[in-house]
Structures are given as C-alpha cells and as structure tokens.
Amino acid sequence: MKRVKVCFSTFIVVLAVVLGNLPVSGEQVTAKGFETPEYYGRTVLSGFDNSNALLFVYDKIASSMDDINNIIEYGTDYKIEIDISEDGYAVTPAELKTVIDVYTRDYTGHFWFNKSWSYSYYLNDKSIKIVTKIHMYCYAGREETALAKQKYDSAADKLIAGITPDMPEFERELILHDRLADHIAYEDGDRVHDAYGALVDGKAVCDGYTKAFQYLLQRVGIQSFMVTGIGNGVKHAWNIVRIDGRYYNVDLTWDDQESDTFHAYFNLTDERIKEDHTFDTTVYRIPECNSTEANYFTHFGEKIQGFSAAELGALIRKNGNKLHIYVTGDMKAFMAEFSKKVIIGGKEVKKNYSDMIYAAGLENVFVDDFTAFLGNEVLIKIIVRGDANYDGITDIRDFVHMKSIIAGNFAENKASDVDKSGNVSATDLAELKKMLLGIKN
C-alpha cells in the first residue's frame, strides 16, 4: 500500500549582476530552554580547502537571510544582497554553489528564500571568477514576509508545545514525527515544497515534510540535515537526524499514510534505507547512519520473525485495538500466512485471524480484513463488535450511534454489523442491546 509521493525540484539561477548592499543581522534560535544544535552543513565546510572563506560566506548568508528586514524590492523581484568582498576571503562560483547547497539544507526554516540566487564577480590575475556579492531571491517583500512569519511561528509553537528540554531526544523526535504526520496532508498546491506550506497550510510534498520536520527538530535542540535522492523512482527528500550522538534516516513523508501513521522509516540505518532510497551524489560527506539503537521497533520491541498466532495474540493483548509490528523475516511469507484462507463448514475463512484472537484471550472482537503495511511494518486493526462509534469500548453511546447509523445519519461500519449479516439493521441494534445487558443467546 506504499504511496508514491512525487517530490520537488530546486531551481537555481546563476547570473552576473552588480547591485548595492544592505547590512546583515539576526540568528535562528531554538525554543526557550533548548540549546541550538550545530548545523551539520556548516561542519562539513570546515573540511574543505579554503574552509575559512567558505565558513565566512556561509555565516554571512545565514545571518543575512535570517533578517527579513534585509529584503529589498528589485523590479518585480525581491531579494537579499550579501557583500562578501572583504579582503582575504576569495570564493569561486563553484565553491559558492556548495555553500548555498549546505545552507539550504541546514536552514529549512527560511521559507522566504525561493531557491533562486545569482552573484556578482570579478576576474583575478589568473582569470578566475571571484564572487563579490550574492543575490538571494525571496517570494515576497518585507511586510508580506513578516505577516507570513507570524503565522509560521504561531503554527510551529503549537506543534512543539509541551516538549521540554528534560525529555529524551528520541521522545522529542517521535512526538514531532507523529504530530506532523497528523497535521500535514500530502497534497499539491502553493508552497508545498517548503516548511511554510507544511506548517501553516497543512499541505506538503516530500521536501515540505522534510523541511518542516527539520525546522521543528532544531527548535527543540536536535540536529537534522535534509538529504535528497530517489525514492520509488522519483525525486525525493528525507531527513538524517542525530539522536544521542548517532545518526539515523527518517522518511516522514512515507510514514504518513493517509489516515494511519507508520514508523517503518523512523530512524533507519543506511543499509535499510538504501533498499528503496538512493542518495544524490554530493561533494561533501553525508552523515553515516549505522546504528539501530533509536530505531522505533528496536526501542519498543514490537518485532516478529515470521507469522505466529500465539506471538501476535500476545502483542494484540498488550497493544489493544491497533497493533504496529515489524517483520524481521520474509515479509511476503508473513503476509501469505497471515491472510491464508481455509475451508471450514463449506465456507472460506481466514482461520489465522480467529487463532490470533483466541491466543489474545479476547471476546467479541475480530481482526479487520483491511490490513495495512508499509515496507516491513504491518498495521493490524482489531475491531470490537458493537463499537459503533469506534472508541475502543462498547457502551450505551454505541447504542445511540447505531440508531443514528440505521436512521441514515452516519455511514455503516464493520463494528456495527453485530450479527455479521453484511449490513447494519434493527437486528444489530437488538444484538447490541443484549450485549450491553449481558444477555447471551
């Protein structure tokens, strides 16, 4: 059931122009009480030849772009100009391209940058182009950007509410992962490629998911770096997140599967992510992810080698009406056994379903025929017979809700089909009444 999510393209314009200069100031900050994590992209620049100049340019770009008061109107465009002509710092256009690449992957919260840039230069005595000024283009002017930033900050504050510095990094990361999966709908439209569309409009494609997740992680003191590549044959983006000093791949986009949130792509090793993702080639080193310690299913232990009604029954008893498990063995073999049908009393049934419920020691429940999976993660839903309002228990509220279903006010659901006839009727209402009163047939 894996959804293919078509992602983004980055538009880079390189021109040679000569324009004026504005002062720079400002710095991206974390939420109160959290320490600002180091920016991975900045750290890799320190390993380059000419690193002092590259770091100087990176810092100038980051601080200049952080201050939206630097935005100026230029014809029909808006931009921020950054003068890097100081003595002792010579940067070529190729080096500038690398600096801007890591800056955009580090500062995903700068949603006003429209990914287009240009530069001014001179030729040195060896006829090599040396950049003197950078022009970073923005979506809108100061006033419009300031209003957008208010909405953006407000949306971000709501999503990080309740997360405190004393929480383990894994817990902070998981909360944000699940909140964003609930908050964002995978849709096309305006601003879906940046964090603004994801946080404010609740709409994004993969790079919008990735940028929003990274920005919020940074707000709560966790380092993240946006990586790009190919997923399911199309351009894709995801995060590399540092948890307790170790790096992990996280693909929030793929984990957000319509009405269900998965964790099949939460804190994966490079070996695992490369089974269906391909990294873009970069001129710098991407963090190596080789730990499984903070993997979701390592942390919570909901793993199973192959199909076992007894093991699954125990997990159902432990987890309630929704069970997320990770199959460490052959996924195809697991699914074949899980959904295998046998003939009993002349009828074709999925006996393993009833075996799991029997092993769980539960009554008046059944396994939903619709079993979702993503990668090697399987979602098994347990339906409580008579639970018309789907709140996990059967009580008088379900009786009222079922009456409304019969009256046509709500859609039918599987839990309301108490008599297993295939539709919801007065007979089901009568059966539910018996259940509530403890009357056995």
Side-chain angles (χ1 to χ4, degrees):
M1 109 165 206
K2 189 183 296 180
R3 226 175 357 162
V4 176
K5 300 185 175 181
V6 179
C7 291
F8 68 105
S9 60
T10 302
F11 176 54
I12 297 178
V13 180
V14 180
L15 302 170
V17 294
V18 180
L19 294 164
N21 178 45
L22 283 176
V24 296
S25 63
E27 189 172 315
Q28 187 170 346
V29 295
T30 55
K32 186 177 180 180
F34 293 96
E35 293 185 5
T36 302
E38 62 181 338
Y39 292 99
Y40 179 81
R42 189 182 189 281
T43 64
V44 297
L45 294 178
S46 61
F48 277 70
D49 293 336
N50 198 28
S51 60
N52 288 339
L54 299 186
L55 290 169
F56 165 76
V57 174
Y58 175 99
D59 290 340
K60 289 276 283 190
I61 292 173
S63 60
S64 299
M65 291 300 294
D66 200 57
D67 188 352
I68 61 177
N69 290 315
N70 287 333
I71 299 175
I72 61 173
E73 191 171 350
Y74 179 66
T76 58
D77 295 323
Y78 300 95
K79 66 176 181 175
I80 291 177
E81 294 183 346
I82 305 164
D83 190 339
I84 58 168
S85 60
E86 294 187 23
D87 292 339
Y89 295 113
V91 173
T92 66
E95 291 173 322
L96 176 62
K97 183 179 180 180
T98 297
V99 172
I100 292 179
D101 178 44
V102 297
Y103 152 75
T104 56
R105 294 171 188 258
D106 275 344
Y107 282 82
T108 61
H110 287 170
F111 64 84
W112 44 93
F113 176 42
N114 72 8
K115 311 304 175 293
S116 299
W117 54 276
S118 61
Y119 61 87
S120 306
Y121 68 95
Y122 73 90
L123 295 176
N124 66 9
D125 55 4
K126 296 181 180 179
S127 296
I128 296 173
K129 291 180 181 180
I130 302 298
V131 179
T132 57
K133 193 172 292 184
I134 309 165
H135 313 280
M136 307 286 281
Y137 294 92
C138 301
Y139 285 107
R142 297 175 186 174
E143 291 184 5
E144 187 175 343
T145 302
L147 291 173
K149 193 171 185 303
Q150 287 179 3
K151 295 179 182 178
Y152 180 79
D153 291 342
S154 176
D157 288 344
K158 289 177 182 177
L159 286 163
I160 65 172
I163 300 176
T164 58
D166 61 324
M167 288 180 175
E169 289 185 348
F170 177 90
E171 185 178 354
R172 290 180 240 163
E173 177 196 19
L174 180 58
I175 290 171
L176 291 177
H177 173 280
D178 291 359
R179 285 181 181 178
L180 279 174
D182 287 340
H183 180 73
I184 303 171
Y186 188 90
E187 293 183 20
D188 204 356
D190 295 335
R191 308 305 298 269
V192 295
H193 295 286
D194 60 44
Y196 183 89
L199 297 186
V200 178
D201 300 330
K203 299 177 182 179
V205 292
C206 66
D207 47 341
Y209 274 86
T210 301
K211 292 172 184 177
F213 189 36
Q214 175 158 309
Y215 174 69
L216 295 184
L217 286 169
Q218 291 170 335
R219 287 284 307 272
V220 299
I222 296 175
Q223 186 192 92
S224 174
F225 189 64
M226 186 177 86
V227 291
T228 58
I230 301 295
N232 275 343
V234 296
K235 288 186 176 182
H236 195 50
W238 64 97
N239 300 91
I240 290 181
V241 180
R242 187 177 66 185
I243 300 297
D244 298 326
R246 295 183 173 91
Y247 288 102
Y248 303 89
N249 294 279
V250 185
D251 192 336
L252 172 61
T253 315
W254 281 14
D255 274 347
D256 181 15
Q257 292 290 317
E258 298 178 359
S259 61
D260 294 309
T261 299
F262 284 74
H263 300 90
Y265 291 89
F266 186 88
N267 290 353
L268 300 187
T269 62
D270 288 336
E271 181 181 9
R272 172 61 190 88
I273 200 82
K274 286 179 180 178
E275 291 177 10
D276 42 33
H277 291 59
T278 303
F279 288 82
D280 282 339
T281 301
T282 61
V283 297
Y284 48 84
R285 176 177 47 84
I286 297 294
E288 184 177 352
C289 306
N290 54 22
S291 174
T292 60
E293 188 172 329
N295 172 267
Y296 180 88
F297 293 98
T298 298
H299 185 89
F300 290 106
E302 310 299 343
K303 293 184 178 182
I304 192 166
Q305 171 68 26
F307 180 83
S308 166
E311 288 184 57
L312 287 169
L315 289 171
I316 289 169
R317 186 168 60 250
K318 172 186 171 184
N319 289 274
N321 62 353
K322 259 190 179 184
L323 171 61
H324 288 263
I325 58 169
Y326 191 86
V327 179
T328 60
D330 188 327
M331 181 66 171
K332 289 183 179 179
F334 175 91
M335 293 304 297
E337 185 67 19
F338 178 82
S339 56
K340 183 174 68 176
K341 295 179 180 179
V342 297
I343 304 297
I344 298 178
K347 290 185 178 181
E348 195 177 54
V349 298
K350 294 181 179 179
K351 184 175 180 296
N352 284 330
Y353 283 18
S354 57
D355 287 348
M356 286 187 290
I357 297 303
Y358 178 79
L362 302 176
E363 295 181 354
N364 291 322
V365 301
F366 60 95
V367 177
D368 192 349
D369 279 335
F370 179 74
T371 301
F373 64 92
L374 176 67
N376 276 41
E377 180 180 358
V378 181
L379 169 59
I380 301 173
K381 294 182 180 180
I382 308 301
I383 297 177
V384 180
R385 202 174 301 282
D387 181 23
N389 63 359
Y390 271 45
D391 64 354
I393 59 174
T394 306
D395 56 23
I396 189 63
R397 289 171 294 185
D398 296 298
F399 187 83
V400 174
H401 193 85
M402 193 181 292
K403 288 180 70 175
S404 295
I405 290 175
I406 294 169
N409 297 325
F410 295 102
E412 293 187 4
N413 57 53
K414 296 176 183 178
S416 298
D417 184 17
V418 182
D419 65 357
K420 307 178 188 179
S421 65
N423 57 66
V424 181
S425 66
T427 304
D428 296 295
L429 195 64
E431 289 298 317
L432 176 58
K433 184 177 180 180
K434 289 179 183 179
M435 288 173 58
L436 295 174
L437 294 174
I439 301 172
K440 294 185 178 181
N441 292 327

